[in-house]
Amino acid sequence: APPAAADSVYVSSTSGGNVGGVSFADEDILKFDESTGAWSLYFDGSDLGVTQNLSAFDILPDGSILMAFERNQNTTAGAFTPWDVARFRPTSTGNNTAGGFEWYLKGSKVSLSTSGEKIDAIELAPDGRLLISTLGAVTVPGNSGTSFKANDEDLIAYTGTWGANPVGNWLLPFDGS
């Protein structure tokens, strides 16, 4: 079942540690239940061979998780770079996380491919656009056929096809400057 967003907060850390009696690593996602004040492990990356820090994630209504990794990460679906978006479809979460990875967006196919273009925020908007922010400036193709530049404080939105061979364009729905 998908997580209840109204009474829970999901976080990932840039380092390992312990909170509320729950040990975690930088590849994990923690859940904080606001009604009980309890922490739990929601996504245990080590169960799946994930060794890289999650730089961004979004838990979707169907329970799947979109994620980007801080460094290159091998999975059962292939090797993901920091400008790719993986989708994890869990069969179980928590201390015994299981399921499978798949390609959601191969960044190099849609003009993301340099260290400054590492994804550091993700959200799937209600209208189906993928919103991302990047570590540095990016130049991406827009809907008019011309490219535009976005900075690290901006949000850009991808529309198009998904997977390992996506075709689409970008919009600038939020200019953080």
Side-chain angles (χ1 to χ4, degrees), residues 15-107:
S15 64
N18 187 301
V19 64
V22 178
S23 294
F24 60 90
D26 61 1
E27 68 267 12
D28 298 337
I29 297 173
L30 294 165
K31 176 182 174 182
F32 178 71
D33 186 322
E34 292 178 332
S35 64
T36 64
W39 287 93
S40 61
L41 190 60
Y42 182 75
F43 173 84
D44 187 347
S46 64
D47 288 348
L48 305 161
V50 174
T51 59
Q52 298 303 318
N53 178 37
L54 296 181
S55 58
F57 70 91
D58 186 24
I59 301 174
L60 304 182
D62 69 357
S64 63
I65 307 169
L66 297 182
M67 58 183 68
F69 302 101
E70 186 175 339
R71 292 185 182 84
N72 294 349
Q73 174 64 57
N74 290 320
T75 71
T76 54
F80 288 87
T81 65
W83 41 88
D84 297 328
V85 178
R87 184 176 196 161
F88 176 70
R89 293 187 183 268
T91 53
S92 66
T93 57
N95 291 324
N96 295 306
T97 301
F101 286 95
E102 60 189 45
W103 282 96
Y104 195 75
L105 184 69
K106 186 164 183 70

